[in-house]
Structures are given as structure tokens and as C-alpha cells.
Amino acid sequence: MAENLLELENITKTFPGVKALDKVDFSLNKGEIRALVGENGAGKSTLIKILAGIYEKDSGKIFYQKQEVEIDDPARAKELGLAFIHQDLNLIPYFNAVENIWLGYDYPRQGVKFNKKKMRKRVLELAESLNFEFDILKPVSELSTANKWLVAILKAFIMDAKLLVLDEPTAALTDKEIKELFINLKRIKKMGIAIIYISHRLEEIFEIADSITVLKNGKKVADRKIDEVSKEALIKLMTGKEKLSRFPARENRQKSTEKVLELEGLSGESFSEISFTLNKNEILGFFGLVGAGRTELMEAIFALREIKNGSLKINEEEIKVKNPGQMIKKGVVLIPEDRREEGLVLNMGVDENISLPNLEMMLQSKLLKNIDKKAEKKESKRLIEELSIKTPSLGQQVKFLSGGNQQKVVIAKWLYRDTSVFIFDEPTVGIDVGARTEVYSLINQLVDEAGVIVVSSDILEVMGICDRIAVMSNGSLTGILNKEEFSQDKILQLAYEEVR
């Protein structure tokens, strides 16, 4: 019989105006991989933060190895052997694996100096016990994303972790790297380590998890063995809907020959000789493996990176790219991959985030530079309703919104002005299946009046919503496919093409 490791009983947590968790039970055995799923705002993050000692529960009990415990702070979670590995791995890029793994722990010493030989030996022993194979002396900036995850896992094992919590572990991994990670997770499971696996990618959950817990609106709605539930039934449990069309059909599939963006021989850091055009009413996808140069190219178009050579035209006018403010005025906007760090001011309200890049358009007096607060709130309210942003108030701090609603706020702030080109970098990373469909529907609406670029590592996503797909490899454009040419084999062949 499986031995219980963790038991949560009637966990409740309330924030101002929101009951984030309502008498939630949760159970986990040693050597079990349990997926924790739910739409954004279901309560997953709150539950994990209570386990991590970041939030204090209002009521309920936590039993760990059959003993009732209080987890008052992260140090207590660490002491119990609970390790949390987030999508942002928080590794120091110029430190090697050994240095990153030991950071924050008591180093072995030789007199007053660190005993680097013992540090290396301990990491090597751990890596060998888990059959992890990579160069532990390389700076982590030179490691693959999959190997960076192995560094983070080893860091957990240095503290003798008994429970790993993995939050969206495959968001930035290639298919090959995902397979490698899953092999390693299965090894860890055989050692009796329990894993809580959080992901919005349902296909992965059916591949790696033994069991699943579903949260909805702060309540637990189901516990199932993975072989007792289908994907369709799981979506219904999460969303309350019988069937969800992943890629909503575009109602007005207009075609235009009007060029809104043209690149000719554009070169910069991490990309070279890029040429393509984007037409109005077109969704152009950009696919590639990690390190292909897609994000760097988009940031250069938006003037966040230097362009070394080549030309760029917006609405057939050649532009000497200077700064993001200039590009916004010319009608080019970027919805970045890391919405929390680069797209929002988390401590500001929804209304303030929407109005922030548009303040010069809300001035009561250009001389006095004072903002028309009435107009600001009116426009914010309109956009919140138009995009169905779920928020208890206009002034709600965006850090308390779900990932899907945060993404809508980032989009909303660009709808106040005339925009010719929308650039979405990984638009659905970290948002649930229902919110993804809403984002796709928004993109379909935007393309009626503009051109849209969608950068995505999800091959089904670019095939499902795009009119054409541009594929990059090692900083070069290896091909552009029309809709009738789409196939996973063709796209991956171009993505793995050796160039440079």
C-alpha cells in the first residue's frame, strides 16, 4: 500500500473580495506524480504558496509524514524537505552548476575557505544517483534549458527534498528536451520522491502523471487516477463546458495586399539577413527551437535591440528604428512573453496599466500635463468590458489577476490607439485552456484591422491560428510556409535545419 506523504484538510484562504481557496483537501503519496490543474484563478498558485510558506492559510490543517505541521515561512518548508521549482528557474547565469546548486546552503569548508573539491564531489554523487548527464562545471548560461532544469532539481536534492513542486516545467523546452525531462522525473519517482506537477498542457499530464486534482473557483472539484479520466472529461471539470474548440474559427477571413510591415536583410544580435512581409488581415506565425532568434528579432523590430543592417518599412514608409516610443507612434506594439516582468506594473491597478502608454492622449491640458481621470476610467471600463477582463474593480492591482486576465490587460493598453502591427511573443504561455481560446478569439478580432505576428513554441498553436508560418533556426529564416503547406514534419525539418 502506498505511504502517504502530504495531506491537506479544509484549506481556506481569502483575499480582499476573493475567496481564493474554499475548504480544499489534497493528498499525495510517496513516489506519486500528481498533476494539479485548473483554469487561471482556480487557486493552484495560492495552494502552492501556502505549502511554500509564502501565504498563511486562514484555516485548515497540513499533515506531513503523518504529523500535523505549520509552515510559517519558506525556511520551514525547506527544513521539511519541500522544494519548489518555478518556470523562472532563478539560476545565476555566470555561475556553474555546482555554484548554483550550493548557493544558499552551508558550504563545505577547509579552514576559512570553501572546499570546492567536496562541493563538486557531492554534486557529482547526486547527479550519478539520478543518472543526470551534463557538464556541471559549465556556466549555466551555456547549458540547454532542459539541463538548467536538472540543475534546479539537483539544488532541491542537496537539501534532501522529499517533495518536488514543478510549475510549468516544459514552457520553454523543445519536444526532445521534454522527453529527457520526463525520463528523469520517472527516475526520481522510483526513488520515492513525490512530485506535484502543474501545467496547462493537458497532453503532458496524461503522459507523466499518476493522478490528478482539479480546482475550480477555489474549490476542489475532482480527484482522479489518470487512467480514470479522458481529456474531454478533464476539460469539462476545469471549465464546466462540454466541449471547447481550441482554435476558434475566424468569422471574417478578409485578405488584403496592403503591406503593414516589410523587412529586408535585417541583421542584429542573434539573427541575420531576415526578410519577410506582413499584410493587413494576416496572422504570420514564427516557429523555432529555443535559441532560434525569434524573440531577439521581434525585440529589434520594437526597438528594444539594435539593428545592425537591413531596412524596415511600416505601411510602406522606411523607418530608421530609434526607440519603442517611436515604434508605438508608428503603429507597432509588442505583447511580450514575460507579461509580469515586461508587460505590466504589478502593483498598479487595471485602469492605470491600461492607460499608462496612452497618457499623452488623456491630458486635460498639454500645458499643465494633468490627466483627465474621468476619461481614463471611462476608457478603461470600456476596454475591460470589451475584452471580458475579470476583475473585482478598475483599481484592482494586476498582480492579483489570473494569467489569462493579465494577458488581456497587456492587450487592452494597445487598443486605445490605432495600431497596424501586433507582435505576440508566446501569447498563451502559463494560461489555461479556456483563457487560451479567449486570447485566440481576440487575435482573430485584431487581425480585422491590422497585421498580427505570433511567436510560439507550440507547433499546434501556430498551425491552428496562422495564415503563414515563418520558421527560424540559429538566427536565420529557413522557410515560410503557406496554409496549404502546413505539416508538423515540414515545420520541424525547417526548425532543425543547420544554418550559419
Side-chain angles (χ1 to χ4, degrees):
M1 187 176 172
E3 189 178 348
N4 182 263
L5 177 71
L6 178 72
E7 194 82 35
L8 308 183
E9 289 184 1
N10 292 318
I11 300 297
T12 298
K13 179 66 180 175
T14 304
F15 296 107
V18 180
K19 188 168 253 189
L21 293 173
D22 187 3
K23 297 181 180 176
V24 170
D25 297 331
F26 183 86
S27 181
L28 183 68
N29 293 328
K30 291 181 179 179
E32 178 184 12
I33 301 178
R34 178 170 286 271
L36 180 61
V37 302
E39 294 187 285
N40 290 108
K44 304 185 300 295
S45 295
T46 304
L47 188 67
I48 295 307
K49 284 176 180 175
I50 287 171
L51 269 181
I54 296 168
Y55 289 162
E56 186 179 343
K57 59 185 168 56
D58 296 341
S59 61
K61 294 181 179 181
I62 300 173
F63 295 90
Y64 185 69
Q65 295 185 312
K66 301 180 182 177
Q67 299 291 318
E68 186 174 355
V69 296
E70 291 295 330
I71 306 176
D72 303 311
D73 54 38
R76 177 62 174 147
K78 192 173 173 180
E79 182 186 314
L80 289 168
L82 311 183
F84 300 82
I85 306 176
H86 301 283
Q87 189 177 329
D88 179 2
L89 294 172
N90 292 320
L91 300 174
I92 297 178
Y94 47 85
F95 278 16
N96 63 31
V98 176
E99 292 161 339
N100 268 288
I101 288 163
W102 278 100
L103 192 63
Y105 297 106
D106 290 331
Y107 298 97
R109 292 181 180 272
Q110 192 169 23
V112 295
K113 294 182 179 180
F114 299 141
N115 190 328
K116 292 191 175 181
K117 191 175 179 181
K118 277 191 177 178
M119 289 166 64
R120 280 197 298 272
K121 185 182 176 189
R122 176 68 177 135
V123 172
L124 275 171
E125 286 171 352
L126 279 174
E128 285 171 9
S129 72
L130 292 164
N131 288 315
F132 289 0
E133 293 181 9
F134 66 97
D135 187 347
I136 64 170
L137 298 179
K138 253 188 185 180
V140 297
S141 60
E142 296 177 21
L143 296 178
S144 69
T145 309
N147 282 340
K148 287 175 186 173
W149 268 91
L150 299 188
V151 174
I153 290 170
L154 286 172
K155 189 173 177 71
F157 273 83
I158 209 86
M159 60 169 257
D160 193 26
K162 296 176 179 64
L163 166 62
L164 286 180
V165 179
L166 306 181
D167 187 6
E168 298 288 350
T170 62
L173 301 186
T174 64
D175 288 344
K176 183 182 175 187
E177 288 172 331
I178 290 169
K179 286 175 185 171
E180 289 173 14
L181 178 66
F182 283 2
I183 288 168
N184 288 313
L185 292 183
K186 285 170 184 173
R187 285 178 185 147
I188 291 167
K189 170 188 162 178
K190 283 180 182 175
M191 296 169 66
I193 307 298
I195 298 171
I196 298 175
Y197 189 94
I198 302 168
S199 178
H200 290 300
R201 296 181 174 181
L202 301 186
E203 295 84 0
E204 292 174 4
I205 286 166
F206 283 95
E207 185 175 345
I208 193 66
D210 303 307
S211 54
I212 192 160
T213 294
V214 185
L215 298 183
K216 182 172 173 60
N217 298 327
K219 294 184 179 183
K220 184 179 82 171
V221 294
D223 271 330
R224 298 280 191 278
K225 294 289 183 188
I226 202 69
D227 55 6
E228 294 174 353
V229 65
S230 66
K231 184 179 174 183
E232 292 72 24
L234 182 56
I235 289 172
K236 186 182 177 185
L237 286 167
M238 289 168 60
T239 67
K241 297 173 184 175
E242 287 287 349
K243 194 173 181 182
L244 208 60
S245 172
R246 182 172 178 186
F247 304 112
R250 208 188 302 170
E251 291 179 11
N252 301 313
R253 193 175 277 274
Q254 304 174 49
K255 282 195 176 181
S256 172
T257 55
E258 184 183 332
K259 295 175 183 176
V260 291
L261 180 66
E262 298 173 75
L263 270 62
E264 188 65 46
L266 213 69
S267 297
E269 184 188 349
S270 304
F271 61 91
S272 62
E273 294 293 323
I274 306 293
S275 300
F276 70 86
T277 63
L278 173 71
N279 291 339
K280 185 179 178 181
N281 307 139
E282 178 184 32
I283 303 174
L284 175 62
F286 266 79
F287 182 82
L289 307 179
V290 174
R294 298 164 301 158
T295 293
E296 291 84 353
L297 172 62
M298 299 307 151
E299 288 179 349
I301 292 171
F302 193 60
L304 291 171
R305 291 177 182 263
E306 183 188 358
I307 294 172
K308 294 177 180 175
N309 294 301
S311 66
L312 182 150
K313 291 181 181 178
I314 302 168
N315 295 320
E316 305 195 15
E317 175 193 355
E318 187 160 345
I319 304 294
K320 187 170 176 57
V321 177
K322 295 175 183 174
N323 55 62
Q326 171 210 24
M327 299 309 286
I328 292 167
K329 284 177 182 174
K330 292 291 181 184
V332 178
V333 299
L334 173 68
I335 294 90
E337 176 181 1
D338 191 342
R339 69 184 77 91
R340 291 175 64 86
E341 289 293 323
E342 299 170 2
L344 298 165
V345 182
L346 295 177
N347 289 324
M348 288 174 65
V350 175
D351 54 351
E352 293 170 314
N353 269 278
I354 290 173
S355 63
L356 194 58
N358 308 302
L359 293 177
E360 81 280 4
M361 302 163 74
M362 297 181 180
L363 295 176
Q364 276 183 326
S365 164
K366 290 188 178 180
L367 180 65
L368 297 174
K369 304 284 186 187
N370 56 323
I371 305 300
D372 185 340
K373 288 289 181 183
K374 194 174 177 182
E376 179 186 33
K377 295 211 176 289
K378 182 182 175 184
E379 280 305 307
S380 297
K381 189 169 186 283
R382 178 183 69 82
L383 289 166
I384 286 167
E385 290 173 355
E386 198 174 299
L387 274 64
S388 301
I389 298 170
K390 292 175 186 171
T391 174
S393 68
L394 289 174
Q396 173 80 340
Q397 291 180 320
V398 294
K399 67 182 177 184
F400 294 121
L401 300 186
S402 68
N405 284 304
Q406 287 177 349
Q407 185 71 308
K408 289 181 186 179
V409 174
V410 180
I411 297 168
K413 69 185 183 183
W414 300 126
L415 300 185
Y416 194 81
R417 57 177 70 237
D418 291 332
T419 300
S420 300
V421 179
F422 289 90
I423 301 172
F424 287 84
D425 193 358
E426 302 288 359
T428 60
V429 163
I431 64 176
D432 65 74
V433 63
R436 283 182 182 210
T437 303
E438 291 180 357
V439 169
Y440 298 147
S441 294
L442 276 173
I443 290 172
N444 285 346
Q445 290 171 35
L446 295 175
V447 79
D448 286 344
E449 300 296 333
V452 176
I453 292 174
V454 173
V455 177
S456 178
S457 302
D458 184 339
I459 196 167
L460 296 178
E461 182 169 83
V462 289
M463 290 176 68
I465 65 171
C466 298
D467 300 303
R468 291 188 298 149
I469 298 172
V471 185
M472 290 184 68
S473 176
N474 293 317
S476 295
L477 192 60
T478 51
I480 298 180
L481 302 173
N482 294 319
K483 191 88 176 171
E484 61 273 13
E485 300 174 292
F486 289 1
S487 80
Q488 291 192 42
D489 287 345
K490 280 183 184 177
I491 294 167
L492 289 171
Q493 189 176 350
L494 289 169
Y496 281 101
E497 200 165 295
E498 292 293 332
V499 288
R500 280 194 175 181

